[in-house]
Amino acid sequence: MSDWLDDPCSLSIENKNYADYWCSMLEKTESRFGICHSEIDPTEYAKRCRYDSCVCKNSELCMCAAVSSYVRACAAKGIILWGWKNGICEKDITSCPSSQVYLYNLTTCQPTCRSLAEGEKACTSVFTPVDGCACPDGQYLNEKDQCVPISKCSCYYHGTYLEPLDVFNKQGER
């Protein structure tokens, strides 16, 4: 029992081989992760990756989460690992809604049509870059979760979206 607690990969050769293959990529200097090695030693991340991949029911999901923790640590040091998901954790890339694209350098909350109406008040914080789905440059996320150019943004006023031809009063004027 203590072997399993120390090394869950000892329970399954298949899981061990899977974990060794994918998690070892973190340690290879010639891999896309190699450019971060001078800033962050990948040894502990790879060890955690192997453990998580073997102990988890969904090995791929846990392996990708473990690898992404290394990617995030690198990003916090200013090293963006462009394209790190290519060939290793591609499911997220293809899961973006049709109007969005997958980016590796999201640093603030994404511009929305509503944030334009609110004077960008909602987007003042800066974050460590992360990867994920977002609108392409020059487009804004509308209330229907679709990326649109500014000309297609719905009007938003006092907590309500206005449809074309809606009438409202502002400062006593129609």
Side-chain angles (χ1 to χ4, degrees), residues 7-169:
D7 182 13
C9 293
S10 65
L11 291 176
S12 165
I13 293 297
E14 185 179 330
N15 285 357
K16 181 181 182 347
N17 289 342
Y18 178 89
D20 283 343
Y21 179 81
W22 292 109
C23 298
S24 68
M25 289 190 182
L26 286 174
E27 299 169 299
K28 293 179 181 174
T29 54
E30 70 278 4
S31 75
R32 64 193 66 133
F33 304 102
I35 62 167
C36 189
H37 289 177
S38 62
E39 285 293 323
I40 299 177
D41 185 345
T43 307
E44 281 302 310
Y45 288 90
K47 184 178 173 183
R48 233 177 298 149
C49 178
R50 287 181 180 97
Y51 183 92
D52 291 351
S53 297
C54 286
V55 81
C56 190
K57 281 185 182 177
N58 185 335
S59 294
E60 182 180 9
L61 187 66
C62 293
M63 178 273 296
C64 289
V67 172
S68 72
S69 70
Y70 183 74
V71 171
R72 184 159 168 77
C74 293
K77 294 285 189 179
I79 300 169
I80 306 297
L81 298 175
W82 298 96
W84 76 267
K85 287 193 171 203
N86 295 337
I88 183 169
C89 296
E90 293 179 323
K91 285 183 182 173
D92 291 339
I93 298 172
T94 58
S95 69
C96 289
S98 61
S99 65
Q100 296 184 22
V101 294
Y102 200 86
L103 299 172
Y104 289 89
N105 62 337
L106 301 176
T107 54
T108 63
C109 51
Q110 293 305 292
T112 63
C113 291
R114 184 171 172 172
S115 70
L116 287 171
E118 294 176 340
E120 298 287 350
K121 291 177 202 156
C123 286
T124 56
S125 299
V126 177
F127 304 97
T128 296
V130 295
D131 51 85
C133 300
C135 291
D137 280 345
Q139 293 199 1
Y140 300 83
L141 195 65
N142 70 13
E143 72 278 10
K144 297 171 185 149
D145 289 331
Q146 296 171 331
C147 296
V148 296
I150 195 168
S151 61
K152 300 282 185 193
C153 280
S154 302
C155 293
Y156 182 79
Y157 182 69
H158 282 261
T160 307
Y161 286 100
L162 304 172
E163 296 297 323
L165 305 178
D166 276 354
V167 175
F168 69 97
N169 291 316

